[in-house]
Amino acid sequence: MTTQERASQISQKEALKIVVHLQVVLKLGKFYEPNNRILQEQMETLYSSMQTALEREDEIQIYVSQNSISLNRVRVRFDFATYHASKFLLNAFQEREIGSLIFYLGLTKEELTRFMFFLAEKEIPKEDQFEQIFSDFEAASFPHILIEKIPPAEKVETLDKAIATMYFLGIYHLKEIFEQEDEALNLNLTKRWVQSMFNHLAFDESFLFGLTNVKNFDEYTLNHSVNVCLLAIALGRRLGLSRPELMELGVSALLHDLGKLEIPKDILDKPAKLDAGERAIIETHPNLGAEKLIEQASKRGIPDRVIQVAFEHHINIDLSGYPKYVRRTSINLFSKIVKIVDYFDAITTKRVYRPKVFTREEALSLMLEKSGEEFDPLILRTFAGMIGVYPIGSLVVLNTGDMGIVVENNPLASFAHKPKVKLIADPQGNKMDGDIVDLTDLDPDTRRFKRTIITSLDADKYNIPVSDYFLLRAQ
Amino acid sequence: MDPRNNPQKPLEAKGGSPDPETLKRVKELFLLFAHAISATKLFPAHHASVINFQEELYDKLTKFLEEHEELNIGIQENAFTYEGEIAYRDENILKSLPYLFFKDGMHKLTFLRDLDKAELLAFLDVVRTVSLLPPDQHDIVESLWEKDFPHSRYYVPDEFLESRLAIHQKKALDFKIDKAQMSQGKIELTAEDREVIHQKLTARLQKEQKEAADFASLTDSLDKGDSSLIESMLSYERDISTALDFLGLIFELLYTEDRLEPFKKALSFVEKRYQEWLKKGDFTYVAISIRQMEDLAQILSLNAPERALEVEKFLKTIIDQCPLEALLEMARQGQIKDFKSFFEFLRRLGSKTLSIGAELLEDGLDPEVRSAAFEFLEEMGKDHLDLLANLAQEQKPFITKAIIAIFSHLQDQKAIPFLAKFLSYKNKDIKIEVIEALGRFSDTVAHKILLEFMREDKDEDIRTAAAEKIHLSLDKDLMNAAVHLALAKNFHAKSLREKEALLKALERGGSDEACDFLRVLLKKSGFLKKAKIEESRLCAVRSLETIATPKAVEVLRGGAGRAKKKIKSACREALERLTTGKDAGKERPS
Ligand SMILES: [Fe+2]
Ligand SMILES: [Fe+2]
């Protein structure tokens, strides 16, 4: 099946191009007829880049493992712009239990087009996915294409429990960092935790976003910090930060509120409006945090950026906020990122002193109003794109009358209002442990969407434990 | 076990034990790997043995990978395994390679085909770096994760991290959800929410027609949109120096911290950083931190004198305790990257650093350093002429000449006595430089010193040089002294060059006095050889022609009438040239 001598090797750019176009065509194939102009253009690009590679390499093998895609043994590296392409393809392959696709020299455009429509239009069987698809594949006859099943070891298992465990362990770990000034407790473990979270995010961002609906576990500040960390890494990834940068960002986000440790609890949790004196005390937490980190900097190996974020995360982009700068004229990139996710997590969290919790949707629109004054517009835009119109965890009412919780965003901006939703109540309001439905699903007869979101509602108002729907997957 | 947590999970090794030939090759690979690592720890990167091991490892590993697609390595506490067989063993935990990977939880490591040399070298570098650190300060899994090498994978079971996180936590982790709860009860929407839903639903029905097929923007995942903006934002941010940015931040922190104790702690952190930079020779940051702290002291002095005092104390300490010897050594070893900042720093330390500047100048490193050192000495030296002069030594001609040049450049009359000091030097080059420097002064004292040289020095070259630079017009006494010198008995005996130089000095000095003297010279006879006297007189004629004032013409006429034949004709020819030449009729200004 493989040719031993290869005169040349596929370049990263070439591989990325093929994979991204494969994804686009697959996606478009779901909605368009084969004669659609946009689809044909994309198909043409895909075919010609594949043809170029085939003429040189004789075959193109696209191999999918846990969370990476390789093309003729070159692992395709995705950046933030192409991240969704990888997510989509991985998902598409895994749903169908396809482990690899092999195209051979001699492939025609007609055959490729037929195959892409075969994949796109096929309803995915509920069990023995690969076997069922494969028999249809055989029947349809694709002489220059081969599909192979995912090897058993590579088959996706339910790993949500491990992710959730790691999430909660993060809260406990942070508690130890906050409370112990043990010299032995350096950042190595923290970094490993951040790394683990990153790996999970790369694999299943939606589930982790779902977990950020867990609030006030153990202590507010700890849980909040873990959520801020997850959202910050995810956002940093979208922005295209490198792994070492993401690591620093993650640690910065995790420790951003370290200064709150020094603020008396009765002020932090005061159920009424703070007076000027109390407010002033709270507003020292960036200073306190930065100073505490400075003290530990050398023994714990704390990077400068971490100190910087602790100090700057309440300074607005127009330099209002606190503390006030005298000389500096801008805030650091990491601080800008953390500021956005910090604010988002804070105002969507119920607190004794916060009578009105913002729904995720409301929070986002409130923040967009402050774009350019409090928040960096470019980063906020990226964040909004990441979170989606109906952020994961939103309670929504569908046109069918069903109620559901948003569990996964649609990566395409124009489909941002069509996420995946777990149904939790029928039109009469009877609670149920319903299916997860994709709002881009079309009714095959009318070619119209089966379901559409009418509005989002405040889950707190109805005492709906949003995070439970995610944790349920981790039992 | 959570494979999802470990994207680098290698494919399972095939069952069964390896054939002896393959195992032998793998063993050899491990040995080479170990050698390559220990060589990089012992020798610099370009050392032959480092390169040899790396080359050999690369060649053999690539060959192996071409045949086997991948190399799966099992990791045990003291050993590397290949398909279940021990392939490398090292029991010494302190330097054991397997332990280095094992201790951070790695169970498997895989190299994949198409691994290129740069990647292998980068991998080796990670291992080397990690193995040089104390065990609690590194984590090889973390380092490899950050590198994200495309042709190597590793596998760490999730339990490793789970067992280490939150070990002090007493509470058992519990996030059990009652599944039954999910399908019990009813959600009763409020009337208000029902109204909202109703309204939106009716509005929706009307536009549904349009929306259903509106997929045109489906391709926007390809649209780069903000991505170029984001890229430029990132590259801008990445260009900002972390250290500088951090210094700026500490400045703000110190400014806002009005409690003295935390303020002092933060300040001591600045000092720590400062010392680190100083030690490493990062004078850009050293200089900036001093500048910033001076700035801070100044703004704090307005309304926070207590804190301002702390900053001043800090500044004084770092300046007082700066190890000058070490600085000089650092400079000599070429450890200083930014000489501009280095000298800026020396300026702040004060005049005691003059000697460092001098040493650097004398060492004659690259021209840029020398010119920076020169500038430094000039700037610092202008208020410390004595210290500067003390740095000059006869055995150090380079620095001595530089100091002379600085004195000359400064044109401060206070420098003259110091220059005079160099009269006693034997080094002719230095003396010539001193003479040139003195000649540039418009102060009489300088020229009196030159006259001393003309009169006293044993070396004709020195006397001549002094005569060439002296300005006799500055002072009547000076002129008289020079005339005396020329009228002295030994004048005719001097070399033509020296005589000419002296006469030229007189010419420059003033025409009247010169003419008087030359008249005497034309007449005067002596005991010397005729030829020598004649030579002096011919010089005198040339001088008179140069002077060309009416008085000079008159003296020449006198000469043309009375003198010996040869001189007479020289005078006539000079007169003729003066009256018929280009400049005929024009008299030169005196
Ligand atoms: Fe905060
Ligand atoms: Fe916060």
Side-chain angles (χ1 to χ4, degrees), chain A residues 4 6 20 28 31-32 38 42 63 67 73 75 77 80 157 159-160 162-164 168-169 172-173 176 180 186 188-189 191-193 195-196 198-200 203 218 239-241 243-245 247 287-288 290-291 294-295 297-298 304-305 308 311 324-328 332-333 336 378 381-382 397 403 412-415 417 428-433 448-449 452-455 457 461-462 464 468-469 471-472 475, chain B residues 2-5 7-8 11 66 69 104 113-114 136-139 141-142 145-146 148-150 154 156 158 160-162 164-169 171-173 175-177 179 181-190 192-193 197 200-201 204 209 211-212 215-222 226-227 229-230 233-234 237-238 242 245-246 248-253 255-257 259 262 265 269 272-273 295 299:
Chain A
Q4 281 297 327
R6 283 158 306 129
V20 166
L28 292 171
F31 302 105
Y32 289 127
I38 300 175
Q42 296 295 331
Y63 173 79
N67 57 3
R73 271 185 303 272
R75 176 146 67 95
R77 297 220 211 178
F80 82 104
E157 292 151 28
L159 299 159
D160 298 333
I163 302 181
F168 288 109
L169 280 176
Y172 282 168
H173 173 64
E176 288 186 357
Q180 290 188 13
N186 61 29
N188 282 350
L189 270 182
K191 287 183 176 173
R192 287 288 286 271
W193 180 82
Q195 179 187 327
S196 160
F198 173 90
N199 292 342
H200 288 315
F203 186 78
D218 203 280
L239 293 169
L241 296 186
R243 283 192 171 194
E245 286 168 333
M247 183 53 76
N287 263 70
L288 296 172
E291 283 159 13
I294 280 176
E295 244 177 87
S298 36
D304 289 352
R305 292 276 184 243
Q308 202 156 3
F311 192 71
K324 290 268 179 284
Y325 272 166
V326 272
R327 287 280 189 272
R328 281 169 71 77
N332 175 258
L333 174 70
K336 290 177 191 164
L378 191 57
R381 227 160 36 228
T382 312
V397 179
M403 274 188 262
L412 292 174
S414 49
F415 276 98
H417 56 294
Q428 286 70 47
N430 297 311
K431 283 169 86 179
M432 60 175 181
D433 184 9
R448 292 233 180 119
F449 294 116
T452 303
I453 293 174
I454 297 301
T455 188
L457 297 174
K461 195 159 117 188
Y462 297 106
I464 296 168
D468 285 4
Y469 289 95
L471 292 176
L472 202 59
Q475 301 296 304
Chain B
D2 177 10
R4 205 191 286 186
N5 195 21
Q8 324 276 13
L11 294 173
E66 269 183 23
E69 292 286 321
D104 294 324
R113 183 178 158 146
D114 297 334
D136 61 330
Q137 275 173 35
H138 65 69
D139 186 330
V141 173
E142 152 66 11
W145 179 83
E146 287 198 0
D148 194 18
F149 291 124
Y154 56 82
V156 184
D158 236 16
F160 176 81
L161 188 54
E162 283 177 19
R164 275 163 183 77
L165 283 170
I167 40 169
H168 303 290
Q169 185 61 36
K171 258 187 282 176
L173 183 57
F175 52 91
K176 274 256 168 301
I177 304 297
K179 198 173 157 82
Q181 283 281 314
M182 297 292 150
S183 34
Q184 280 168 14
K186 208 168 167 182
I187 301 171
E188 296 282 3
L189 293 181
T190 59
E192 180 193 3
D193 280 348
I197 293 166
K200 289 198 179 169
L201 203 55
R204 161 140 236 117
Q209 215 73 26
E211 188 224 22
F215 305 139
S217 49
L218 196 60
T219 48
D220 59 5
S221 68
L222 289 181
D226 284 338
S227 70
L229 282 176
I230 290 175
M233 171 180 79
L234 288 187
E237 293 281 345
R238 283 168 179 150
T242 319
D245 204 34
F246 188 65
L249 182 100
I250 288 282
F251 178 93
E252 301 289 346
L253 186 140
Y255 178 75
T256 48
E257 183 50 81
R259 297 163 312 152
K265 273 188 193 164
F269 187 67
K272 205 167 150 271
R273 271 302 157 82
D295 183 18
I299 52 172

Side-chain angles (χ1 to χ4, degrees), chain A residues 224 256-257 260 285-286 313-314 322 342:
Chain A
H224 161 69
H256 79 282
D257 269 337
K260 287 219 175 139
H285 85 269
H313 72 277
H314 287 287
Y322 62 92
D342 176 45

Side-chain angles (χ1 to χ4, degrees), chain A residues 67 83 87 163 194-209 229-235 237 386, chain B residues 4:
Chain A
N67 57 3
Y83 157 74
K87 184 84 171 63
I163 302 181
V194 171
Q195 179 187 327
S196 160
M197 282 295 133
F198 173 90
N199 292 342
H200 288 315
L201 270 171
F203 186 78
D204 192 351
E205 200 176 67
S206 303
F207 183 59
L208 272 167
F209 285 173
C229 175
L230 290 181
L231 294 170
I233 309 171
L235 181 52
R237 221 160 85 80
M386 175 177 99
Chain B
R4 205 191 286 186

Side-chain angles (χ1 to χ4, degrees), chain A residues 259-279:
Chain A
K260 287 219 175 139
L261 198 64
E262 315 276 296
I263 308 286
K265 281 248 183 315
D266 53 340
I267 298 183
L268 274 184
D269 297 334
K270 185 180 171 186
K273 213 172 153 46
L274 298 171
D275 64 35
E278 290 163 335
R279 177 156 291 278

Side-chain angles (χ1 to χ4, degrees), chain A residues 119-139:
Chain A
L119 276 188
E121 287 187 325
K122 194 116 196 69
E123 279 277 323
I124 300 159
K126 287 262 184 266
E127 51 195 39
D128 287 339
Q129 289 90 334
F130 185 80
E131 283 70 19
Q132 296 198 35
I133 290 171
F134 191 72
S135 64
D136 292 346
F137 172 83
E138 294 263 79

